[in-house]
Amino acid sequence: MLEAIRKTVAGRRVLILGFGREGRSTYRILREAGGWRELAVADQAPRDPALEPEIRWHTGPDYQDAMNQYDLVFKSPGIVLQREPGVP
């Protein structure tokens, strides 16, 4: 399975949206698989100081805006996506 994940994320900028239970699990698997160009986390809560300093964090009420900067987004099931103005 790790090889399939590595192929999916190879050379891509990857974002984990939401860092609760599912987001942390996704983080561990992606770190183990490797192959991504950049790995980042977006969450409303402040940065987790236990993570490696090279992991980029997007925090605060506008954390979902970070999705536009990445090639691939792993969204945690508990995250409700904000609608863009004018989009039904």
Side-chain angles (χ1 to χ4, degrees), residues 42-75:
D43 194 275
Q44 201 163 17
R47 177 184 175 82
D48 183 338
L51 295 183
E52 293 86 355
E54 71 272 9
I55 299 297
R56 186 171 176 196
W57 272 72
H58 304 274
T59 60
D62 296 326
Y63 73 100
Q64 289 189 18
D65 293 345
M67 288 189 293
N68 296 326
Q69 301 172 33
Y70 293 87
D71 305 316
L72 185 62
V73 177
F74 288 88
K75 181 186 120 1

Side-chain angles (χ1 to χ4, degrees), residues 10-65:
R12 293 185 170 175
R13 298 181 73 227
V14 179
L15 178 70
I16 300 169
L17 186 64
F19 206 62
R21 179 179 290 162
E22 292 86 1
R24 290 175 187 274
S25 176
T26 301
Y27 172 79
R28 284 190 297 273
I29 293 295
L30 289 172
R31 288 292 294 173
E32 187 175 348
W36 30 264
R37 186 172 87 199
E38 179 184 349
L39 181 60
V41 173
D43 194 275
Q44 201 163 17
R47 177 184 175 82
D48 183 338
L51 295 183
E52 293 86 355
E54 71 272 9
I55 299 297
R56 186 171 176 196
W57 272 72
H58 304 274
T59 60
D62 296 326
Y63 73 100
Q64 289 189 18
D65 293 345

